[in-house]
Amino acid sequence: MSRASVTGRYAGPVSRAAAAAIDVAVVLASYSVGVALTGFLLDAIFDASLEDGTGAVASIVLVGWAALYVAVGTAVAGRTVGKAIVGLKVVSREGRPVWPAAAVVRVLAFPLSTSVFGLGLALVALRRDHRALHDLIARTAVVYDWGDRQAQLPGPLTAYLRAHDAA
């Protein structure tokens, strides 16, 4: 199978891990900006500080923000920013666009995948269809989706590499 025709194949553990790493960075960066902006506005308008509500409350807000980010991105576009950059998409088990309810179930089931030493995530490497426990529960799958563009290097670089591989 050529590199240009990977769209629709199940995404493997490396691609999924790369997308997750990008998403963690996006969630942490956006959360930090939100906290800084909220702190600035509270100080400017009410002369109050966010420092009184740190710890458990901040952790709950961060987890809630991460869940909202993943659920909305998956429900609306079938992907998060990380998945879009890596070229992945969440679809139904049959390959159709994911329903919003399935996106929410997938997010709610994610803690089950990470509990007990991440055995639910290990299914990505062990199963032929690379579906984690939360994918099985939500009846979803993660596939490569490059849309109309080819999933390969740009033309001149591809031609150069092919010429030097053949020699």
Side-chain angles (χ1 to χ4, degrees), residues 145-166:
D145 180 27
W146 291 98
D148 293 336
R149 68 181 197 255
Q150 292 184 348
Q152 66 182 17
L153 299 171
L157 186 54
T158 301
Y160 173 82
L161 291 173
R162 283 186 186 146
H164 286 81
D165 280 344

Side-chain angles (χ1 to χ4, degrees), residues 11-131:
V14 174
S15 300
R16 290 181 68 159
I22 294 168
D23 285 330
V24 166
V26 168
V27 166
L28 291 176
S30 59
Y31 175 78
S32 297
V33 168
V35 168
L37 182 61
T38 302
F40 173 76
L41 291 175
L42 278 174
D43 185 42
I45 296 171
F46 301 109
D47 196 28
S49 173
L50 279 180
E51 292 178 13
D52 298 334
T54 58
V57 173
S59 297
I60 291 168
V61 172
L62 176 59
V63 169
W65 171 243
L68 183 67
Y69 165 81
V70 173
V72 170
T74 303
V76 171
R79 60 184 83 206
T80 57
V81 171
K83 283 183 179 57
I85 290 171
V86 177
L88 306 180
K89 187 171 188 176
V90 179
V91 295
S92 72
R93 186 176 50 192
E94 296 81 23
R96 293 189 204 99
V98 67
W99 286 90
V104 171
V105 168
R106 191 171 186 275
V107 168
L108 293 175
F110 183 76
L112 296 174
S113 288
T114 59
S115 61
V116 190
F117 307 112
L119 290 177
L121 292 176
L123 295 175
V124 173
L126 299 174
R127 290 180 55 94
R128 195 170 196 182
D129 60 4
H130 302 295
R131 292 170 65 205

